Amino acid sequence: MKVILLQDVKSLGKKGEIVNVSDGYARNFVLPKKVGVEATDRNRNELKLQKANEDRIAAQKLQEAKDLAAKLESLKISVTIRTGENGKTFGSISSKEIADAAKKQHDLDLDKKKIVVTEPIKTLGMHEVPIRLHPDVTGRLYVLVSAE
């Protein structure tokens, strides 16, 4: 019996695949546990439409990420840090502080987990911070660190 999987099944395949299973396995496991449906013409057509819709949504999200990356390139965010004598800084600038500053200064909601700070920002001046907006798109944000 041909079955369309609704979830990933370890021994069968991934969600959306059409697999061939024995009738007993389909009747006793796949169909009752709702991990798959019988591959009728109607269900195949629904799967095709669902995949087309998912592809369209994925393309839309990719375009939105590219647009946001282009917008971020032109923005600069200023953050202050406490300094002592001779310009020595206390502490560092974290991704949370960068996200908060972006929210206050430019009304941008950036997820702090997507801000990639490879090494702590402990010096004054302009720093380029990459931001993962999408698996295929990485934007750059410029952060100006000044003394408090």
Side-chain angles (χ1 to χ4, degrees):
M1 175 185 289
K2 291 198 181 258
V3 175
I4 300 172
L5 296 177
L6 301 176
Q7 301 174 12
D8 291 350
V9 180
K10 194 172 192 175
S11 61
L12 284 179
K14 299 208 177 277
K15 176 182 177 183
E17 288 182 357
I18 298 176
V19 294
N20 200 9
V21 296
S22 68
D23 291 346
Y25 187 64
R27 260 193 322 272
N28 296 321
F29 178 75
V30 177
L31 299 176
K33 297 220 184 230
K34 303 219 185 307
V35 293
V37 292
E38 190 175 347
T40 61
D41 289 337
R42 179 174 179 248
N43 288 340
R44 287 180 196 201
N45 193 27
E46 283 182 26
L47 175 67
K48 194 183 300 181
L49 292 173
Q50 186 178 18
K51 281 187 178 181
N53 188 34
E54 288 171 359
D55 290 343
R56 184 177 49 79
I57 290 172
Q60 182 180 1
K61 285 186 178 186
L62 177 64
Q63 186 59 43
E64 288 173 2
K66 285 180 180 179
D67 293 343
L68 183 58
K71 182 180 177 183
L72 288 177
E73 297 266 338
S74 64
L75 297 179
K76 290 183 177 54
I77 292 179
S78 60
V79 181
T80 59
I81 190 170
R82 285 186 41 211
T83 57
E85 294 178 20
N86 301 328
K88 181 172 171 32
T89 60
F90 298 111
S92 63
I93 303 294
S94 67
S95 58
K96 182 179 184 323
E97 291 174 294
I98 294 171
D100 291 343
K103 178 71 175 164
K104 286 180 187 173
Q105 295 171 18
H106 298 289
D107 200 32
L108 285 173
D109 285 326
L110 298 176
D111 186 7
K112 69 177 182 177
K113 295 175 186 162
K114 295 186 179 193
I115 298 173
V116 182
V117 180
T118 54
E119 56 188 54
I121 300 174
K122 294 185 174 187
T123 58
L124 300 177
M126 186 68 74
H127 297 274
E128 183 179 311
V129 179
I131 300 175
R132 286 183 317 237
L133 300 170
H134 187 272
D136 299 333
V137 179
T138 301
R140 289 181 291 159
L141 182 65
Y142 294 98
V143 179
L144 176 63
V145 180
S146 57
E148 197 172 80

